[in-house]
Amino acid sequence: MKYYIEKITNYTFDQAVEKVTDELKKEGFGVLTQIDIHDKLKEKLDVDFRKYRILGACNPPAAYQALQAEDKIGTMLPCNVIVQETLDKKVEVAAVNPIASMMAVENQKLATIAEDITSRLERVIAAV
């Protein structure tokens, strides 16, 4: 099982970030954080890196359920979604696969939550 769900888009980088954000909202997610890896690596290491943005997405009801089921699950929250420019100048969108990441946590209550969130993220990626 892959630890991510991915798709190459026909959008520009900025369009893909906007589209992903909109599709996340439709599935009940908010974007809590955005990390622009290109800018951070330039600032910290003075290197030029391709366009790469990490969106920290959260579905509050699911996060609440997960935290009630497993108090250390916050180490795996929020759900990260990336938009990146590939080496051949295409734009890829990828999201963590919660089912794969939750396999390490032996808590059956999380399995149902992970399945729901994975389905939502799969719909987000498919819609981009």
Side-chain angles (χ1 to χ4, degrees), residues 10-56:
N10 292 320
Y11 293 104
T12 66
F13 181 84
D14 290 332
Q15 289 171 331
V17 170
E18 185 175 328
K19 179 70 171 166
V20 168
T21 302
D22 290 344
E23 293 300 327
L24 284 165
K25 285 179 189 173
K26 290 178 186 177
E27 290 292 338
F29 291 89
V31 175
L32 302 177
T33 60
Q34 286 196 43
I35 303 169
D36 187 326
I37 297 297
H38 173 272
D39 289 351
K40 286 297 174 190
L41 291 179
K42 186 65 174 173
E43 174 189 332
K44 302 292 183 184
L45 301 175
D46 195 29
V47 297
D48 289 315
F49 193 75
R50 67 187 179 277
K51 294 178 182 179
Y52 193 113
R53 181 105 28 106
I54 302 171
L55 306 175

Side-chain angles (χ1 to χ4, degrees), residues 50-125:
R50 67 187 179 277
K51 294 178 182 179
Y52 193 113
R53 181 105 28 106
I54 302 171
L55 306 175
C58 180
N59 179 293
Y64 178 63
Q65 288 177 333
L67 288 163
Q68 287 181 310
E70 182 74 37
D71 70 339
K72 308 293 186 294
I73 205 64
T75 61
M76 296 181 168
L77 300 177
C79 295
N80 283 334
V81 179
I82 64 166
V83 178
Q84 71 171 318
E85 186 177 76
T86 63
L87 296 176
D88 58 355
K89 302 296 182 193
K90 294 183 180 179
V91 176
E92 179 186 53
V93 177
V96 66
N97 180 339
I99 292 174
S101 63
M102 296 297 166
M103 288 173 66
V105 182
E106 296 178 6
N107 183 328
Q108 188 55 41
K109 291 179 185 175
L110 290 176
T112 303
I113 299 165
E115 288 171 10
D116 175 55
I117 295 300
T118 298
S119 294
R120 290 171 187 264
L121 291 173
E122 286 172 340
R123 288 191 297 268
V124 167
I125 300 300

